[in-house]
Protein backbone atom coordinates (compact mmCIF):
# COMPACT_ATOMS: atom_id res chain seq x y z
CA UNK A 1 0.00 0.00 0.00
CA UNK A 2 1.33 3.42 -0.93
CA UNK A 3 0.78 6.70 0.88
CA UNK A 4 -2.76 7.29 2.18
CA UNK A 5 -4.01 10.49 3.78
CA UNK A 6 -7.26 11.86 5.15
CA UNK A 7 -7.56 15.65 5.33
CA UNK A 8 -9.81 17.81 7.46
CA UNK A 9 -10.36 20.26 4.60
CA UNK A 10 -9.69 20.66 0.87
CA UNK A 11 -7.06 23.41 1.03
CA UNK A 12 -4.69 21.34 3.15
CA UNK A 13 -5.48 18.22 1.16
CA UNK A 14 -4.43 19.91 -2.07
CA UNK A 15 -1.09 20.90 -0.50
CA UNK A 16 -0.33 17.31 0.51
CA UNK A 17 -1.38 16.12 -2.95
CA UNK A 18 1.10 18.56 -4.49
CA UNK A 19 3.86 17.52 -2.07
CA UNK A 20 3.51 13.86 -3.07
CA UNK A 21 3.34 14.67 -6.79
CA UNK A 22 6.45 16.82 -6.55
CA UNK A 23 8.10 13.85 -4.84
CA UNK A 24 7.59 11.73 -7.95
CA UNK A 25 4.47 9.78 -6.96
CA UNK A 26 1.36 9.38 -9.07
CA UNK A 27 -1.07 11.01 -6.66
CA UNK A 28 -4.79 11.73 -6.68
CA UNK A 29 -7.30 13.35 -4.33
CA UNK A 30 -10.88 12.13 -3.81
CA UNK A 31 -13.95 13.52 -2.07
CA UNK A 32 -14.75 10.15 -0.52
CA UNK A 33 -13.57 6.57 -0.44
CA UNK A 34 -12.36 5.52 -3.90
CA UNK A 35 -13.06 2.25 -5.62
CA UNK A 36 -10.21 -0.07 -6.56
CA UNK A 37 -10.75 0.95 -10.20
CA UNK A 38 -10.25 4.61 -9.25
CA UNK A 39 -6.81 3.72 -7.89
CA UNK A 40 -5.46 2.02 -11.00
CA UNK A 41 -1.94 3.34 -11.51
CA UNK A 42 -2.15 5.57 -8.41
CA UNK A 43 0.62 5.29 -5.80
CA UNK A 44 -0.48 7.93 -3.29
CA UNK A 45 -3.98 9.14 -2.61
CA UNK A 46 -6.11 10.97 -0.16
CA UNK A 47 -9.63 11.85 0.89
CA UNK A 48 -10.55 15.48 1.55
CA UNK A 49 -13.33 16.00 4.10
CA UNK A 50 -15.16 18.99 5.62
CA UNK A 51 -14.11 17.89 9.12
CA UNK A 52 -12.76 21.31 10.18
CA UNK A 53 -16.31 22.65 10.30
CA UNK A 54 -18.00 19.65 11.97
CA UNK A 55 -19.35 19.29 15.48
CA UNK A 56 -18.48 16.28 17.64
CA UNK A 57 -21.31 13.99 16.58
CA UNK A 58 -20.83 14.58 12.88
CA UNK A 59 -17.06 14.35 13.26
CA UNK A 60 -17.24 10.97 15.00
CA UNK A 61 -19.67 9.62 12.39
CA UNK A 62 -17.48 10.81 9.49
CA UNK A 63 -14.29 9.37 10.98
CA UNK A 64 -15.93 6.02 11.78
CA UNK A 65 -17.34 5.67 8.26
CA UNK A 66 -14.14 6.62 6.44
CA UNK A 67 -12.03 4.54 8.81
CA UNK A 68 -14.18 1.46 8.21
CA UNK A 69 -13.76 1.94 4.48
CA UNK A 70 -9.99 2.41 4.76
CA UNK A 71 -9.61 -0.75 6.81
CA UNK A 72 -9.76 -2.93 3.70
CA UNK A 73 -6.74 -1.07 2.27
CA UNK A 74 -4.73 -1.87 5.45
CA UNK A 75 -2.57 1.28 5.36
CA UNK A 76 0.67 0.88 7.26
CA UNK A 77 1.18 4.66 7.37
CA UNK A 78 -1.95 6.80 7.53
CA UNK A 79 -1.54 10.58 7.45
CA UNK A 80 -4.25 12.66 9.10
CA UNK A 81 -3.71 16.00 7.37
CA UNK A 82 -4.64 18.96 9.56
CA UNK A 83 -3.98 22.67 9.38
CA UNK A 84 -0.35 23.60 10.12
CA UNK A 85 -1.58 25.98 12.82
CA UNK A 86 -3.38 23.14 14.69
CA UNK A 87 -6.41 25.37 15.32
CA UNK A 88 -9.21 23.20 16.60
CA UNK A 89 -11.80 23.26 19.36
CA UNK A 90 -13.39 20.65 21.61
CA UNK A 91 -16.80 21.15 19.96
CA UNK A 92 -15.87 22.29 16.42
CA UNK A 93 -13.31 20.59 14.18
CA UNK A 94 -11.89 18.46 17.00
CA UNK A 95 -8.73 16.93 15.48
CA UNK A 96 -8.08 14.69 18.49
CA UNK A 97 -11.52 13.12 18.17
CA UNK A 98 -10.94 12.75 14.43
CA UNK A 99 -7.58 11.04 14.95
CA UNK A 100 -8.70 8.63 17.64
CA UNK A 101 -11.97 7.62 15.95
CA UNK A 102 -10.23 7.17 12.61
CA UNK A 103 -7.43 5.08 14.12
CA UNK A 104 -9.90 2.87 15.99
CA UNK A 105 -11.99 2.28 12.87
CA UNK A 106 -8.96 1.42 10.72
CA UNK A 107 -7.49 -0.79 13.45
CA UNK A 108 -4.38 1.29 14.18
CA UNK A 109 -3.21 1.41 17.79
CA UNK A 110 -0.33 3.88 17.49
CA UNK A 111 -0.80 7.63 16.99
CA UNK A 112 1.93 10.23 16.48
CA UNK A 113 1.89 13.98 15.94
CA UNK A 114 4.41 15.96 13.90
CA UNK A 115 4.27 19.46 15.31
CA UNK A 116 5.61 21.80 12.64
CA UNK A 117 6.06 22.47 8.94
CA UNK A 118 9.25 24.54 8.68
CA UNK A 119 8.90 24.80 4.89
CA UNK A 120 5.73 26.82 5.53
CA UNK A 121 7.01 28.87 8.45
CA UNK A 122 5.53 26.63 11.17
CA UNK A 123 7.99 25.55 13.88
CA UNK A 124 7.53 23.34 16.94
CA UNK A 125 10.17 23.23 19.68
CA UNK A 126 9.80 22.04 23.29
CA UNK A 127 6.24 21.15 22.26
CA UNK A 128 5.42 24.79 21.53
CA UNK A 129 4.14 25.97 18.14
CA UNK A 130 5.34 29.11 16.40
CA UNK A 131 4.04 30.40 13.05
CA UNK A 132 4.98 33.11 10.60
CA UNK A 133 2.37 35.87 10.46
CA UNK A 134 1.27 38.18 7.64
CA UNK A 135 3.84 40.68 8.94
CA UNK A 136 6.61 38.20 8.09
CA UNK A 137 7.55 37.70 11.74
CA UNK A 138 7.43 34.43 13.68
CA UNK A 139 4.89 34.45 16.52
CA UNK A 140 4.02 31.99 19.23
CA UNK A 141 0.70 30.61 18.03
CA UNK A 142 -1.28 31.98 20.98
CA UNK A 143 0.12 35.46 20.16
CA UNK A 144 -0.21 35.13 16.40
CA UNK A 145 -2.00 38.22 15.02
CA UNK A 146 -4.53 36.07 13.15
CA UNK A 147 -4.70 32.62 14.73
CA UNK A 148 -4.99 33.89 18.30
CA UNK A 149 -8.24 35.65 17.32
CA UNK A 150 -9.58 33.13 14.78
CA UNK A 151 -13.38 33.61 14.71
CA UNK A 152 -14.17 29.90 15.14
CA UNK A 153 -11.15 28.11 16.64
CA UNK A 154 -8.83 30.72 18.20
CA UNK A 155 -5.53 29.36 19.48
CA UNK A 156 -5.14 30.29 23.14
CA UNK A 157 -2.55 27.60 23.97
CA UNK A 158 0.86 27.35 22.27
CA UNK A 159 1.92 24.14 24.03
CA UNK A 160 0.49 21.61 21.59
CA UNK A 161 0.63 18.75 24.08
CA UNK A 162 -1.66 20.78 26.36
CA UNK A 163 -3.82 21.92 23.44
CA UNK A 164 -4.32 18.35 22.21
CA UNK A 165 -5.00 17.10 25.74
CA UNK A 166 -7.86 19.60 26.04
CA UNK A 167 -9.21 18.14 22.80
CA UNK A 168 -8.93 14.60 24.18
CA UNK A 169 -5.53 13.27 23.01
CA UNK A 170 -3.76 12.71 26.33
CA UNK A 171 -0.35 11.49 27.53
CA UNK A 172 1.63 12.52 24.45
CA UNK A 173 5.30 11.55 24.85
CA UNK A 174 7.48 14.44 23.74
CA UNK A 175 10.19 13.53 21.20
CA UNK A 176 12.83 16.28 21.08
CA UNK A 177 14.45 17.35 17.84
CA UNK A 178 16.21 14.47 16.08
CA UNK A 179 15.56 12.01 18.93
CA UNK A 180 14.17 8.49 18.70
CA UNK A 181 10.55 8.07 19.66
CA UNK A 182 9.44 6.30 22.82
CA UNK A 183 5.99 4.97 23.68
CA UNK A 184 2.95 6.01 21.67
CA UNK A 185 1.22 8.40 21.41
CA UNK A 186 4.17 10.60 20.44
CA UNK A 187 4.70 14.28 19.71
CA UNK A 188 7.68 15.21 17.50
CA UNK A 189 9.26 18.65 17.53
CA UNK A 190 10.13 20.11 14.12
CA UNK A 191 12.12 23.34 14.15
CA UNK A 192 13.84 22.85 10.80
CA UNK A 193 13.69 20.48 7.84
CA UNK A 194 16.28 18.11 9.31
CA UNK A 195 13.86 17.45 12.17
CA UNK A 196 11.10 16.57 9.70
CA UNK A 197 13.43 14.10 7.98
CA UNK A 198 14.46 12.55 11.31
CA UNK A 199 10.83 12.14 12.41
CA UNK A 200 9.90 10.47 9.13
CA UNK A 201 12.77 8.02 9.39
CA UNK A 202 11.94 7.22 13.00
CA UNK A 203 8.26 6.60 12.28
CA UNK A 204 9.00 4.39 9.27
CA UNK A 205 11.48 2.36 11.29
CA UNK A 206 8.61 0.95 13.37
CA UNK A 207 7.05 -2.43 12.76
CA UNK A 208 3.35 -1.70 13.16
CA UNK A 209 0.87 0.58 11.40
CA UNK A 210 0.76 4.17 12.60
CA UNK A 211 -1.52 7.17 12.19
CA UNK A 212 0.45 10.43 11.98
CA UNK A 213 -1.31 13.73 12.55
CA UNK A 214 0.22 16.85 11.07
CA UNK A 215 0.53 19.20 8.13
CA UNK A 216 2.18 18.37 4.79
CA UNK A 217 5.46 18.02 6.69
CA UNK A 218 4.29 14.46 7.37
CA UNK A 219 4.44 13.78 3.62
CA UNK A 220 7.82 15.55 3.45
CA UNK A 221 9.21 13.29 6.18
CA UNK A 222 7.82 10.17 4.53
CA UNK A 223 9.26 11.14 1.14
CA UNK A 224 12.69 11.78 2.67
CA UNK A 225 12.75 8.17 3.88
CA UNK A 226 12.03 6.81 0.38
CA UNK A 227 14.39 6.32 -2.54
CA UNK A 228 14.57 9.58 -4.54
CA UNK A 229 12.40 9.82 -7.62
CA UNK A 230 12.30 12.29 -10.50
CA UNK A 231 9.56 14.86 -10.19
CA UNK A 232 6.42 14.17 -12.22
CA UNK A 233 5.64 17.11 -14.49
CA UNK A 234 1.97 16.93 -15.57
CA UNK A 235 1.11 17.99 -19.11
CA UNK A 236 -0.35 21.50 -19.32
CA UNK A 237 -4.13 21.43 -19.52
CA UNK A 238 -5.26 24.97 -18.78
CA UNK A 239 -7.78 26.77 -20.94
CA UNK A 240 -7.99 30.48 -21.62
CA UNK A 241 -11.56 30.77 -20.35
CA UNK A 242 -12.40 33.32 -17.60
CA UNK A 243 -11.84 32.57 -13.93
CA UNK A 244 -14.25 33.00 -11.02
CA UNK A 245 -12.78 33.86 -7.62
CA UNK A 246 -14.71 33.54 -4.37
CA UNK A 247 -13.41 34.63 -0.96
CA UNK A 248 -15.20 33.19 2.03
CA UNK A 249 -12.23 33.82 4.31
CA UNK A 250 -12.33 37.15 6.11
CA UNK A 251 -8.84 36.95 7.57
CA UNK A 252 -6.75 40.10 7.52
CA UNK A 253 -4.44 38.57 4.91
CA UNK A 254 -7.28 37.63 2.56
CA UNK A 255 -8.79 41.09 3.03
CA UNK A 256 -5.47 42.63 1.98
CA UNK A 257 -5.30 40.30 -1.04
CA UNK A 258 -8.79 41.36 -2.11
CA UNK A 259 -7.78 44.99 -1.79
CA UNK A 260 -4.70 44.35 -3.94
CA UNK A 261 -6.71 42.67 -6.73
CA UNK A 262 -7.28 45.98 -8.51
CA UNK A 263 -7.20 44.55 -12.02
CA UNK A 264 -10.01 42.10 -11.29
CA UNK A 265 -13.73 42.97 -11.21
CA UNK A 266 -14.75 42.73 -7.54
CA UNK A 267 -18.10 42.69 -5.75
CA UNK A 268 -18.73 42.50 -1.98
CA UNK A 269 -21.48 40.15 -0.86
CA UNK A 270 -23.36 40.43 2.44
CA UNK A 271 -23.37 37.08 4.34
CA UNK A 272 -26.94 37.73 5.46
CA UNK A 273 -28.04 37.95 1.82
CA UNK A 274 -26.27 34.66 1.05
CA UNK A 275 -27.97 32.91 3.96
CA UNK A 276 -31.42 34.33 3.12
CA UNK A 277 -30.93 33.97 -0.65
CA UNK A 278 -32.03 37.57 -0.78
CA UNK A 279 -31.87 40.18 -3.54
CA UNK A 280 -28.21 40.89 -2.81
CA UNK A 281 -27.29 37.29 -3.57
CA UNK A 282 -29.30 37.31 -6.80
CA UNK A 283 -27.53 40.50 -7.82
CA UNK A 284 -24.14 38.92 -7.09
CA UNK A 285 -24.99 35.84 -9.14
CA UNK A 286 -26.16 37.89 -12.13
CA UNK A 287 -23.16 40.24 -11.83
CA UNK A 288 -20.67 37.34 -11.91
CA UNK A 289 -22.41 35.44 -14.72
CA UNK A 290 -22.54 38.57 -16.88
CA UNK A 291 -18.81 39.20 -16.49
CA UNK A 292 -17.82 35.61 -17.09
CA UNK A 293 -20.01 35.54 -20.21
CA UNK A 294 -17.98 38.36 -21.71
CA UNK A 295 -14.70 36.69 -20.79
CA UNK A 296 -13.89 38.80 -17.73
CA UNK A 297 -12.33 37.38 -14.57
CA UNK A 298 -14.23 38.37 -11.43
CA UNK A 299 -14.08 38.11 -7.65
CA UNK A 300 -16.98 37.77 -5.20
CA UNK A 301 -16.10 38.19 -1.54
CA UNK A 302 -18.03 37.97 1.72
CA UNK A 303 -18.01 41.06 3.89
CA UNK A 304 -17.61 41.06 7.67
CA UNK A 305 -20.97 42.74 8.19
CA UNK A 306 -24.07 40.86 9.38
CA UNK A 307 -22.19 37.61 9.99
CA UNK A 308 -22.77 37.41 13.73
CA UNK A 309 -24.74 34.34 14.75
CA UNK A 310 -24.21 32.57 11.41
CA UNK A 311 -22.38 29.27 11.79
CA UNK A 312 -19.30 28.93 9.55
CA UNK A 313 -20.56 25.59 8.24
CA UNK A 314 -23.94 27.03 7.24
CA UNK A 315 -22.36 30.05 5.59
CA UNK A 316 -19.92 27.84 3.68
CA UNK A 317 -22.78 25.66 2.45
CA UNK A 318 -24.82 28.68 1.33
CA UNK A 319 -21.76 30.17 -0.38
CA UNK A 320 -21.22 26.89 -2.22
CA UNK A 321 -24.77 27.06 -3.55
CA UNK A 322 -24.11 30.57 -4.88
CA UNK A 323 -20.85 29.54 -6.56
CA UNK A 324 -22.49 26.47 -8.08
CA UNK A 325 -25.20 28.60 -9.69
CA UNK A 326 -22.63 30.99 -11.12
CA UNK A 327 -20.70 28.06 -12.62
CA UNK A 328 -23.75 26.18 -13.88
CA UNK A 329 -23.51 27.39 -17.50
CA UNK A 330 -19.97 26.07 -17.88
CA UNK A 331 -18.45 29.38 -19.01
CA UNK A 332 -15.72 29.60 -16.36
CA UNK A 333 -12.56 27.62 -16.98
CA UNK A 334 -11.15 28.05 -13.50
CA UNK A 335 -12.17 28.64 -9.89
CA UNK A 336 -10.14 30.23 -7.09
CA UNK A 337 -11.45 29.90 -3.53
CA UNK A 338 -10.13 31.55 -0.37
CA UNK A 339 -11.12 29.93 2.92
CA UNK A 340 -10.76 26.40 4.23
CA UNK A 341 -14.39 25.75 5.19
CA UNK A 342 -15.57 27.51 2.04
CA UNK A 343 -13.25 25.47 -0.18
CA UNK A 344 -14.46 22.21 1.34
CA UNK A 345 -18.12 23.14 0.87
CA UNK A 346 -17.64 24.33 -2.71
CA UNK A 347 -15.63 21.32 -3.86
CA UNK A 348 -18.16 19.01 -2.22
CA UNK A 349 -20.95 20.80 -4.10
CA UNK A 350 -19.04 20.60 -7.40
CA UNK A 351 -18.80 16.80 -6.99
CA UNK A 352 -15.58 16.27 -8.97
CA UNK A 353 -14.68 12.69 -9.79
CA UNK A 354 -11.18 13.47 -8.57
CA UNK A 355 -8.52 16.16 -8.35
CA UNK A 356 -4.99 15.95 -9.72
CA UNK A 357 -1.97 18.17 -9.14
CA UNK A 358 -1.25 20.47 -12.10
CA UNK A 359 1.28 23.13 -11.04
CA UNK A 360 2.74 25.06 -8.12
CA UNK A 361 1.27 28.45 -7.29
CA UNK A 362 2.77 29.54 -3.96
CA UNK A 363 3.83 27.83 -0.71
CA UNK A 364 0.84 25.85 0.55
CA UNK A 365 -1.28 26.35 -2.58
CA UNK A 366 -1.22 24.57 -5.95
CA UNK A 367 -3.17 24.60 -9.17
CA UNK A 368 -5.33 21.48 -9.35
CA UNK A 369 -7.06 19.90 -12.32
CA UNK A 370 -10.51 18.58 -11.46
CA UNK A 371 -12.78 16.39 -13.55
CA UNK A 372 -16.24 17.90 -13.09
CA UNK A 373 -19.21 16.64 -15.07
CA UNK A 374 -16.99 15.10 -17.72
CA UNK A 375 -14.97 18.27 -18.33
CA UNK A 376 -11.78 19.69 -16.91
CA UNK A 377 -11.65 22.67 -14.54
CA UNK A 378 -8.64 24.33 -12.93
CA UNK A 379 -8.90 24.95 -9.18
CA UNK A 380 -6.84 26.84 -6.62
CA UNK A 381 -7.86 26.46 -2.98
CA UNK A 382 -6.21 28.58 -0.30
CA UNK A 383 -6.55 28.87 3.43
CA UNK A 384 -6.94 32.30 4.97
CA UNK A 385 -3.24 32.57 5.84
CA UNK A 386 -1.78 31.53 2.49
CA UNK A 387 -0.43 33.51 -0.43
CA UNK A 388 1.17 36.89 -1.01
CA UNK A 389 -0.45 40.27 -1.69
CA UNK A 390 -1.01 39.52 -5.39
CA UNK A 391 -2.48 36.06 -4.84
CA UNK A 392 -5.67 36.40 -6.89
CA UNK A 393 -3.97 37.88 -9.96
CA UNK A 394 -1.21 35.27 -9.76
CA UNK A 395 -3.73 32.41 -9.51
CA UNK A 396 -5.70 33.68 -12.50
CA UNK A 397 -2.54 34.15 -14.57
CA UNK A 398 -1.44 30.58 -13.78
CA UNK A 399 -4.81 29.19 -14.81
CA UNK A 400 -5.10 31.16 -18.04
CA UNK A 401 -1.69 30.28 -19.45
CA UNK A 402 -2.19 28.35 -22.68
CA UNK A 403 0.17 25.50 -23.54
CA UNK A 404 2.97 26.46 -25.90
CA UNK A 405 2.26 24.49 -29.11
CA UNK A 406 6.00 24.22 -29.69
CA UNK A 407 6.50 22.22 -26.48
Amino acid sequence: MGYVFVADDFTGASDTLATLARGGYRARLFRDLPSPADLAGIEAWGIATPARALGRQDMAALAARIGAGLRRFAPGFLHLKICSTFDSGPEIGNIALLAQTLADAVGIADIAVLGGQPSLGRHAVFGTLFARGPDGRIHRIDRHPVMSIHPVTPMHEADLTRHLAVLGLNDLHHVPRGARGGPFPRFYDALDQADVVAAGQDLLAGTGPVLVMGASSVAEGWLAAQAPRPRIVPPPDRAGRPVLCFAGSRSSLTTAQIGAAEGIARLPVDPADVMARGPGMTTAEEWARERLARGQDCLLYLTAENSGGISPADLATASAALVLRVLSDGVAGGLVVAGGDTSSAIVTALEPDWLDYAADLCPGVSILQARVGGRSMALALKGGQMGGPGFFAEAIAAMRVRPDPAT
Side-chain angles (χ1 to χ4, degrees), residues 169-182:
L169 183 55
N170 297 294
D171 302 320
L172 282 164
H173 294 271
H174 179 235
V175 183
R177 300 176 58 204
R180 297 287 300 275

Side-chain angles (χ1 to χ4, degrees), residues 243-393:
V243 175
L244 172 67
C245 303
F246 186 88
S249 166
R250 282 156 289 172
S251 75
S252 58
L253 178 57
T254 301
T255 299
Q257 291 165 337
I258 293 168
E262 295 180 352
I264 305 168
R266 294 167 293 177
L267 183 71
V269 183
D270 190 319
D273 277 333
V274 175
M275 293 300 299
R277 300 194 176 188
M281 194 194 71
T282 302
T283 298
E285 178 186 345
E286 293 174 349
W287 178 90
R289 289 168 68 100
E290 177 186 340
R291 276 150 186 80
L292 292 170
R294 62 180 187 233
Q296 184 179 13
D297 306 315
C298 59
L299 166 61
L300 297 171
Y301 62 94
L302 297 182
T303 65
E305 291 80 15
N306 300 320
S307 58
I310 301 175
S311 81
D314 289 344
L315 183 55
T317 299
S319 297
L322 168 59
V323 170
L324 209 62
R325 286 194 294 275
V326 173
L327 296 175
S328 61
D329 55 11
V331 173
L335 173 66
V336 180
V337 184
D341 293 348
T342 310
S343 292
S344 295
I346 289 174
V347 177
T348 299
L350 282 173
E351 299 184 340
D353 296 319
W354 60 65
L355 300 97
D356 291 337
Y357 165 79
D360 290 330
L361 181 55
C362 63
V365 188
S366 300
I367 301 294
L368 306 177
Q369 208 69 36
R371 192 176 78 172
V372 181
R375 64 185 181 89
S376 182
M377 171 177 280
L379 296 178
L381 312 172
K382 95 169 193 78
Q385 301 310 305
M386 300 299 174
F391 172 80
F392 287 105

